[in-house]
Amino acid sequence: MRAEIRILSLYPEILNIYGDRGNLITLVQRARWHGLEPVVTEASIGDPVDFRRYDLVAIGGGQDREQKLIAADFKDEKGPSLAEAVREGVAVLAVCGAYQLMGKYYRTAQGEEIPGLGIFDAWTEAGSRRMIGDVVVETDLLGGTRTLVGFENHSGRTFLGPSARPLGRVLRGHGNNGEDGHEGIVHRSAVGTYLHGSLLPKNPHLADWLLQRALDYRYGGSVRLGRLDDEFEERAHAAMVRRLLG
Amino acid sequence: MRPKFLLALWAGKLAMALSRRLGRGGSSLPGRIARRIEPRVLDELARGPHMGSLAISGTNGKTTTAKLVAGIAARAGRRVIHNRAGANMIDGVTAAFLEDATWSARPRGEVAVLEVDEASVPGVFAAIRPRVALVTNFFRDQLDRYGELNHTVGLVRQGLERLAAGGRAVLCADDPLCAGLAKGLAPGVQVPVAAGTAAAGIAAAAEPGGPASDTLFYGLEDPTAGGAAAHAADARRCVRCGHPYEYEHVYYAHLGQYRCPACGHRRPRPQVYAENLRDADLTGTTFDLVTPAGVRTCRVQAPGLYNVYNAVGAAAAAYALGVDLDVIAAGLSETSAAFGRMERLKAEGREVLVALVKNPAGYNQVLRTVLGVEGPKNLLLLLNDLAADGTDVSWIWDVDFEVLAARDGELNLVICSGRRAEDLAVRMKYAGVSPARIVVEADPSRALEQGLRFTRPGEVLYVLPTYTAMLELRTVLQQRGYLRGAWDI
């Protein structure tokens, strides 16, 4: 029997900007190519969700309008269950807007503090300048030092608290806030990041890290991923590293 | 005549003549020079044509729709001022007027037909005060450049408040974001402020009120056209209250017959529309054009449902301008699509079809059109990430390339080219196209050569480039003699 992997796509019809859908496509396809059986569930506003029943949760970003639409539902209805699931080790990929909402708060330009879920030891402040462009990040998360490539487009500046572990160090681009050289956050099996592009297709090693963490949550380490032929993915990754770092 | 204005005019015209002499396109530079000397030069020039200006904005279809309207106006015997080269920011619009005016500042054109970049709408409309403003649709396009879609909608809204006295907004009824621009509909979702990226965009979009003008709606009335909602839909939620729309019928993406079950906001009834769509093939689509002045049969000389929208929009705009219905129908049917918008040519005995692709909604329409043709498919896809294409290529993940995989057996090969050829190849693989059919060749010239070599005589090579890739391709085609004469861009 093939091992199952239960993927939850949260607010897919609302939080899908910058090709966030590509991350889901990548998780599903790679799971299939690895011989797993991906089962995708979508949940949106008003749907009650017990996040511990899933192995991997993917949440994207949105424009202000979309973020406002989901804010109350995400914080009040889904937040407590998601926080519990992260504590128990469910894998999460939260991009851009979802990354911000999973932090402690968002401070607007007017100084108002809008509370977040508080899962990540991080907070975000409105910035006046949009940080846009290609990014290369160096990370130790994936065994040895590896690069991640992506594209960022955000004006919120995110800062990490003392207990937080960044996803990586910025080699090119702005990252969390354009100041401290950090990009993203890793907390247990949850990853928050500003990288899109989409992120996972050109970073198959990160996709597989998430899939493995999801399998670990579900099967306690008894199911291991093998290696796939990632020639196209690695060429795309290398092309960006070459272009940006020379 | 004020000397500063004349100086600006002459400097602009001189720059234009010089740039022509040097063989440069230079479609915006003369405008930039003239505006540097006299910032209000466009305001004065735009007062010239006695029939006023007709401006076209929106995400998709600007160039083709403007060409169709210009074709109709020419058929009506009017001399047209038109930024035909597609320079659609304020300098390009200024240049079109400069080109038309005589050295003594007399306008030759009787009507200006201008496509206007969405971000340039407030400035351009304030200067030219359009008599008719057509808004085609709103899709996500180049978010790296324009920021958020709501912001773009807000910019166009500002422009519609600057129409000439008695001016008319012509809006697509089938696009909720577009129809939401109509007078009296307060836009913006009334929900509590929450964490997000900078709130700059929403502020403009949330201003209540609307254009102080009469509105004419256009759309489609044919339940057999279109079908499935694609992932590129950008407005599935009510522009007024945020509740999901219910669709009685979807033409494509979020265009269709929508209704909000919560607040009742619904698609307005179009006064100008297409019905009985028929005989659709690679050369075009025939339909009945219904207007308050009567019904005429038309054929738009370009394939795909999106070109029917372009045609109906052009017809509605011309109608709003007061053009006779017979002239509209004849003008529409005589005008071909703008360059690179499903343009056909011959090379090495193969038919080559070039279709510009620049955002998910348009791409899906082109794929649907290509797959609607019988026979093996040879595809050359070119993806660039220069400023004019959008430096962020994430949008390729919102294109439904999965439809190609569903027809994998008909695919001979998919050549991925352009500056982001590798990204396209990954997208193809994850869409489910067999890796054996995927070829990566970043150089467009070599990619074209390969495409022609693998396309058997009698087959079609479908070339789908982004904007700057299309310009590169055009140069290659000209150098090889596949293109005679200047392309109409």
Coordinates of all heavy atoms in Angstrom, one line a residue, chain B residues 445-486:
Chain B
S445 N 16.5 32.8 -31.4 CA 16.8 32.5 -32.8 C 17.0 31.0 -33.0 O 16.5 30.4 -33.9 CB 18.1 33.3 -33.2 OG 18.5 32.9 -34.5
R446 N 17.9 30.4 -32.2 CA 18.1 29.0 -32.3 C 16.8 28.2 -32.0 O 16.5 27.1 -32.6 CB 19.2 28.5 -31.4 CG 20.6 28.9 -31.9 CD 21.7 28.0 -31.3 NE 21.8 28.3 -29.9 CZ 22.6 29.2 -29.4 NH1 23.4 29.9 -30.2 NH2 22.7 29.4 -28.1
A447 N 16.0 28.7 -31.0 CA 14.8 28.0 -30.7 C 13.8 28.0 -31.9 O 13.2 27.0 -32.2 CB 14.1 28.7 -29.5
L448 N 13.8 29.1 -32.6 CA 12.9 29.2 -33.8 C 13.4 28.2 -34.8 O 12.6 27.5 -35.4 CB 12.9 30.6 -34.3 CG 12.0 30.8 -35.6 CD1 10.5 30.7 -35.3 CD2 12.3 32.1 -36.3
E449 N 14.7 28.2 -35.0 CA 15.3 27.3 -36.0 C 14.9 25.8 -35.7 O 14.4 25.1 -36.6 CB 16.8 27.4 -35.9 CG 17.6 27.2 -37.1 CD 19.0 27.6 -36.9 OE1 19.8 26.8 -36.5 OE2 19.3 28.8 -37.1
Q450 N 15.0 25.5 -34.4 CA 14.7 24.1 -34.0 C 13.2 23.8 -34.2 O 12.8 22.8 -34.7 CB 15.0 24.0 -32.5 CG 15.7 22.7 -32.2 CD 16.3 22.8 -30.8 OE1 16.4 23.8 -30.1 NE2 16.8 21.6 -30.4
G451 N 12.4 24.8 -33.9 CA 10.9 24.7 -34.0 C 10.6 24.4 -35.5 O 9.8 23.5 -35.8
L452 N 11.2 25.2 -36.4 CA 10.9 25.0 -37.8 C 11.4 23.6 -38.3 O 10.7 23.0 -39.1 CB 11.5 26.1 -38.6 CG 10.8 27.5 -38.4 CD1 11.7 28.6 -39.1 CD2 9.4 27.5 -38.9
R453 N 12.5 23.2 -37.8 CA 13.1 21.9 -38.2 C 12.2 20.7 -37.8 O 12.0 19.8 -38.5 CB 14.5 21.8 -37.6 CG 15.3 20.8 -38.4 CD 16.8 20.9 -38.1 NE 17.1 20.8 -36.7 CZ 17.8 21.6 -36.0 NH1 18.2 22.7 -36.6 NH2 18.1 21.4 -34.8
F454 N 11.6 20.8 -36.6 CA 10.8 19.7 -36.1 C 9.4 19.8 -36.5 O 8.7 18.8 -36.4 CB 10.9 19.7 -34.6 CG 12.2 19.1 -34.1 CD1 13.3 19.9 -33.7 CD2 12.4 17.7 -34.1 CE1 14.5 19.3 -33.3 CE2 13.6 17.1 -33.7 CZ 14.7 18.0 -33.3
T455 N 9.0 20.9 -37.0 CA 7.6 21.0 -37.5 C 7.5 20.5 -38.9 O 8.2 21.0 -39.8 CB 7.1 22.5 -37.5 OG1 7.3 23.0 -36.1 CG2 5.7 22.6 -37.9
R456 N 6.7 19.5 -39.1 CA 6.7 18.9 -40.5 C 5.9 19.7 -41.4 O 5.0 20.5 -41.0 CB 6.0 17.5 -40.4 CG 6.9 16.4 -39.7 CD 6.3 15.1 -39.7 NE 5.3 15.0 -38.6 CZ 5.5 14.5 -37.4 NH1 6.7 14.0 -37.1 NH2 4.5 14.5 -36.5
P457 N 6.2 19.6 -42.8 CA 5.5 20.4 -43.7 C 4.0 20.2 -43.6 O 3.5 19.1 -43.3 CB 5.9 19.9 -45.1 CG 7.3 19.3 -44.8 CD 7.2 18.8 -43.4
G458 N 3.2 21.3 -43.6 CA 1.8 21.2 -43.5 C 1.3 21.4 -42.1 O 0.1 21.6 -41.8
E459 N 2.3 21.3 -41.1 CA 1.9 21.5 -39.7 C 2.1 23.0 -39.3 O 2.8 23.7 -40.0 CB 2.8 20.6 -38.8 CG 2.4 19.1 -38.9 CD 3.3 18.3 -38.0 OE1 4.2 18.8 -37.3 OE2 3.1 17.0 -38.1
V460 N 1.6 23.3 -38.2 CA 1.7 24.7 -37.7 C 2.7 24.7 -36.5 O 2.7 23.8 -35.6 CB 0.3 25.2 -37.2 CG1 0.4 26.6 -36.7 CG2 -0.7 25.0 -38.2
L461 N 3.5 25.7 -36.5 CA 4.4 26.0 -35.3 C 3.7 27.1 -34.5 O 3.6 28.2 -35.1 CB 5.8 26.4 -35.7 CG 6.7 26.8 -34.6 CD1 7.0 25.6 -33.6 CD2 8.1 27.3 -35.1
Y462 N 3.3 26.8 -33.4 CA 2.6 27.9 -32.5 C 3.7 28.5 -31.7 O 4.4 27.8 -30.9 CB 1.6 27.2 -31.6 CG 0.4 26.6 -32.4 CD1 0.4 25.3 -32.7 CD2 -0.6 27.4 -32.8 CE1 -0.6 24.7 -33.5 CE2 -1.7 26.8 -33.6 CZ -1.6 25.5 -33.9 OH -2.7 24.9 -34.6
V463 N 3.8 29.8 -31.8 CA 4.9 30.6 -31.1 C 4.2 31.5 -30.1 O 3.4 32.3 -30.5 CB 5.7 31.4 -32.0 CG1 6.8 32.1 -31.3 CG2 6.3 30.5 -33.1
L464 N 4.5 31.3 -28.8 CA 3.8 32.1 -27.8 C 4.8 32.8 -27.0 O 5.4 32.3 -26.0 CB 3.0 31.1 -26.8 CG 1.6 30.6 -27.3 CD1 1.6 30.1 -28.7 CD2 1.1 29.6 -26.3
P465 N 5.1 34.1 -27.3 CA 6.1 34.9 -26.6 C 5.5 35.9 -25.7 O 4.4 36.4 -25.9 CB 6.8 35.6 -27.8 CG 5.7 35.8 -28.8 CD 4.7 34.7 -28.6
T466 N 6.3 36.3 -24.6 CA 5.9 37.4 -23.9 C 6.4 38.7 -24.7 O 7.0 38.5 -25.8 CB 6.6 37.4 -22.5 OG1 8.0 37.4 -22.7 CG2 6.1 36.3 -21.7
Y467 N 6.1 39.8 -24.2 CA 6.2 41.1 -25.0 C 7.6 41.3 -25.6 O 7.7 41.4 -26.8 CB 5.8 42.3 -24.2 CG 5.8 43.5 -25.0 CD1 4.8 43.7 -26.0 CD2 6.7 44.5 -24.9 CE1 4.8 44.8 -26.8 CE2 6.8 45.6 -25.7 CZ 5.8 45.8 -26.6 OH 5.8 46.9 -27.4
T468 N 8.6 41.3 -24.7 CA 9.9 41.6 -25.3 C 10.5 40.4 -26.1 O 11.2 40.6 -27.1 CB 11.0 42.0 -24.2 OG1 11.2 40.8 -23.4 CG2 10.5 43.1 -23.3
A469 N 10.0 39.2 -25.8 CA 10.4 38.1 -26.6 C 9.8 38.2 -28.0 O 10.4 37.8 -29.0 CB 10.0 36.8 -25.9
M470 N 8.6 38.7 -28.0 CA 7.9 38.9 -29.3 C 8.7 39.9 -30.2 O 8.9 39.7 -31.4 CB 6.5 39.4 -29.1 CG 5.8 39.6 -30.4 SD 4.2 40.4 -30.1 CE 4.6 42.1 -30.0
L471 N 9.2 41.0 -29.5 CA 10.0 42.0 -30.3 C 11.3 41.3 -30.8 O 11.7 41.6 -31.9 CB 10.3 43.2 -29.4 CG 9.1 43.9 -28.9 CD1 9.6 45.2 -28.1 CD2 8.2 44.4 -30.0
E472 N 12.0 40.5 -30.0 CA 13.2 39.8 -30.4 C 12.9 38.9 -31.6 O 13.6 38.8 -32.6 CB 13.8 39.0 -29.3 CG 14.4 39.7 -28.2 CD 14.8 38.9 -26.9 OE1 14.8 37.6 -27.1 OE2 14.9 39.4 -25.9
L473 N 11.8 38.2 -31.4 CA 11.4 37.2 -32.5 C 11.1 37.9 -33.8 O 11.5 37.4 -34.9 CB 10.1 36.5 -32.0 CG 9.7 35.3 -32.7 CD1 10.6 34.2 -32.4 CD2 8.3 35.0 -32.4
R474 N 10.5 39.1 -33.7 CA 10.2 39.9 -34.9 C 11.5 40.2 -35.6 O 11.6 40.1 -36.9 CB 9.5 41.1 -34.4 CG 9.2 42.1 -35.5 CD 8.7 43.4 -34.9 NE 8.5 44.3 -36.0 CZ 8.8 45.6 -35.8 NH1 9.2 46.1 -34.7 NH2 8.5 46.5 -36.9
T475 N 12.5 40.6 -34.9 CA 13.8 40.9 -35.5 C 14.4 39.7 -36.2 O 14.8 39.7 -37.3 CB 14.8 41.4 -34.4 OG1 14.2 42.4 -33.7 CG2 16.1 41.9 -35.0
V476 N 14.3 38.5 -35.5 CA 14.8 37.3 -36.1 C 14.0 37.0 -37.4 O 14.6 36.6 -38.4 CB 14.6 36.1 -35.1 CG1 15.0 34.8 -35.8 CG2 15.5 36.3 -33.9
L477 N 12.7 37.1 -37.3 CA 11.9 36.8 -38.5 C 12.2 37.7 -39.7 O 12.2 37.3 -40.8 CB 10.4 36.9 -38.1 CG 9.9 35.8 -37.2 CD1 8.5 36.1 -36.6 CD2 9.8 34.4 -37.9
Q478 N 12.5 39.0 -39.4 CA 12.8 39.9 -40.4 C 14.2 39.6 -41.0 O 14.3 39.6 -42.2 CB 12.8 41.3 -39.9 CG 11.4 42.0 -40.0 CD 11.4 43.4 -39.3 OE1 12.2 43.7 -38.4 NE2 10.5 44.2 -39.7
Q479 N 15.1 39.3 -40.2 CA 16.5 39.0 -40.7 C 16.5 37.8 -41.6 O 17.2 37.7 -42.5 CB 17.4 38.7 -39.5 CG 17.9 40.0 -38.8 CD 18.5 39.7 -37.4 OE1 18.5 38.5 -37.0 NE2 19.1 40.7 -36.8
R480 N 15.6 36.9 -41.3 CA 15.6 35.7 -42.1 C 14.6 35.8 -43.3 O 14.4 34.8 -44.1 CB 15.1 34.5 -41.3 CG 16.1 34.3 -40.2 CD 15.8 33.1 -39.4 NE 16.8 32.9 -38.5 CZ 17.2 31.8 -37.9 NH1 16.5 30.7 -38.2 NH2 18.1 31.7 -37.0
G481 N 14.0 37.0 -43.5 CA 13.2 37.2 -44.6 C 11.8 36.5 -44.5 O 11.1 36.4 -45.5
Y482 N 11.4 36.1 -43.4 CA 10.1 35.5 -43.2 C 9.0 36.6 -43.1 O 7.8 36.3 -43.2 CB 10.0 34.6 -42.0 CG 11.0 33.5 -41.9 CD1 11.6 33.1 -40.8 CD2 11.2 32.7 -43.1 CE1 12.5 32.0 -40.7 CE2 12.1 31.7 -43.1 CZ 12.8 31.3 -41.9 OH 13.7 30.3 -41.9
L483 N 9.5 37.8 -42.8 CA 8.5 38.9 -42.6 C 8.9 39.9 -43.7 O 10.0 40.4 -43.7 CB 8.8 39.5 -41.3 CG 7.9 39.2 -40.1 CD1 8.2 40.0 -39.0 CD2 6.4 39.4 -40.5
R484 N 7.9 40.2 -44.5 CA 8.1 41.3 -45.5 C 7.5 42.5 -45.0 O 6.3 42.5 -44.5 CB 7.6 40.9 -46.8 CG 8.5 40.0 -47.6 CD 7.9 39.5 -48.9 NE 6.7 38.8 -48.7 CZ 6.7 37.5 -48.3 NH1 7.8 36.8 -48.1 NH2 5.5 36.9 -48.1
G485 N 8.2 43.6 -45.1 CA 7.6 44.9 -44.7 C 7.6 45.1 -43.2 O 7.9 44.2 -42.4
A486 N 7.2 46.2 -42.8 CA 7.2 46.5 -41.3 C 5.9 45.9 -40.7 O 4.9 45.9 -41.3 CB 7.1 48.0 -41.1

